[in-house]
Amino acid sequence: MSTPRVTFLSTWGTACGIATYTEQLSAALAETGIDVGVWAEDAVPPAHAERGAWSPHADVQVTTDAWARTDATPHRLTDNAATLAHGDILHIQHEFGLFQDATAMKMIIAVAHASGARVVITLHTPETRAGSPGWFEALATADAIVVHSTHAANLVASWWPHKHSIHVIHHGVRAYDRMDRATARKQVGIEADAIAGVTVGFLSPAKEIDALVCGVIYGMTLERTLGGATGRRSVCMLAGKRMSAPHDPAYWGRIERAIIDAGLADRITIRSGFVPNADMIAYYS
């Protein structure tokens, strides 16, 4: 039996969770003896050199400038159908900021199928519009869908017809040496004895940050009503680049107002901006 070939369609070499996911999964597959390649988006200069670029696994072949999110049509990809024909699986890393045209996505899947390849799509943001007309028709032609959590799997199962082909692969993070917790908390401004909830990454409306904050407000309000049953103060910190909400300009203002109105501005903190490696290690510690 010949060695299977998996081709990733993804971002690469940027400070991006999708790029990190591709780096780690492609390396893990290569280590099992699978033939792995990456068709990478046009090179984008890393926003921060300390966490932007890396060398691929020795056995992972990376083709740069294979496509761009600004392409009006997928011709650069479909013109590479002959190359794709050498692969068994096309693994598309899907996010609406990367692929905005459902018709183009359907075309890419059709070309892959015509070459004899199966198509796996990782939905990095399986939001509601993935099941909307147009996108549903495109994604329904895939052979399998991968998501990062059971919650996301249940969401996709509500609209995707092939429920037995939904798989959960947790995103994972890079390994860092752990810091002393007291030192780490002091570094990022978290009280030493607090019960702390922390999330680090792009703060995108697609991740339903508003729902997360509302849940935290409810929990903290209930805790306060019960008189702080744990005897310890709870805090929440969200750190990372704040992404805009073009269709809802008031999005972040509503979140900030809700925190203030609940009297929790000293316990729920949104720290917007790039998180340097030193702070990343502290947050995870």
Side-chain angles (χ1 to χ4, degrees):
M1 183 176 178
S2 61
T3 302
R5 166 79 175 178
V6 177
T7 300
F8 285 80
L9 189 62
S10 180
T11 58
W12 186 265
T14 63
C16 162
I18 293 175
T20 305
Y21 174 85
T22 300
E23 172 209 10
Q24 295 177 335
L25 186 55
S26 63
L29 291 172
E31 288 173 3
T32 68
I34 293 175
D35 186 10
V36 182
V38 177
W39 282 1
E41 182 186 16
D42 284 357
V44 178
H48 300 273
E50 70 168 0
R51 193 169 71 248
W54 53 79
S55 297
H57 186 282
D59 296 323
V60 175
Q61 303 165 18
V62 179
T63 301
T64 57
D65 300 337
W67 63 282
R69 66 188 74 186
T70 55
D71 287 343
T73 62
H75 290 317
R76 270 204 288 175
L77 289 169
T78 55
D79 288 347
N80 282 321
T83 303
L84 181 59
H86 295 293
D88 297 299
I89 296 174
L90 176 65
H91 191 166
I92 301 172
Q93 307 307 309
H94 181 275
E95 203 277 332
F96 288 101
L98 302 181
F99 300 102
Q100 301 178 23
D101 187 337
T103 301
M105 175 59 67
K106 190 173 182 179
M107 229 169 131
I108 293 168
I109 296 172
V111 168
H113 282 157
S115 75
R118 288 174 294 168
V119 176
V120 176
I121 299 179
T122 291
L123 288 178
H124 289 270
T125 51
E127 55 189 85
T128 305
R129 65 172 151 164
S132 63
W135 272 112
F136 169 79
E137 294 174 3
L139 297 174
T141 61
D143 298 284
I145 283 182
V146 174
V147 291
H148 298 312
S149 68
T150 302
H151 171 76
N154 291 335
L155 177 62
V156 173
S158 70
W159 55 263
W160 203 57
H162 316 298
K163 295 177 176 53
H164 64 285
S165 296
I166 301 171
H167 307 278
V168 176
I169 299 180
H170 297 288
H171 196 295
V173 296
R174 296 192 187 189
Y176 294 104
D177 292 330
R178 189 178 181 124
M179 294 174 62
D180 170 73
R181 176 169 287 185
T183 303
R185 288 192 169 201
K186 183 177 180 180
Q187 179 173 309
V188 294
I190 296 176
E191 298 165 31
D193 61 346
I195 299 173
V198 178
T199 181
V200 183
F202 286 125
L203 302 180
S204 168
K207 297 178 180 178
E208 299 182 341
I209 302 297
D210 52 348
L212 170 63
V213 171
C214 282
V216 171
I217 290 174
Y218 175 79
M220 288 184 173
T221 302
L222 182 61
E223 176 195 46
R224 188 167 53 194
T225 302
L226 295 175
T230 64
R232 295 166 63 193
R233 186 172 137 98
S234 59
V235 297
C236 176
M237 181 171 289
L238 294 80
K241 181 179 179 181
R242 186 183 299 193
M243 311 300 283
S244 63
H247 304 297
D248 187 2
Y251 183 84
W252 290 106
R254 282 200 310 275
I255 291 175
E256 292 167 349
R257 175 52 56 189
I259 294 171
I260 293 170
D261 288 348
L264 294 170
D266 62 329
R267 295 174 61 188
I268 302 175
T269 304
I270 300 177
R271 185 169 292 172
S272 181
F274 176 75
V275 179
N277 278 352
D279 284 352
M280 180 80 75
I281 297 169
Y283 282 125
Y284 285 129
S285 297

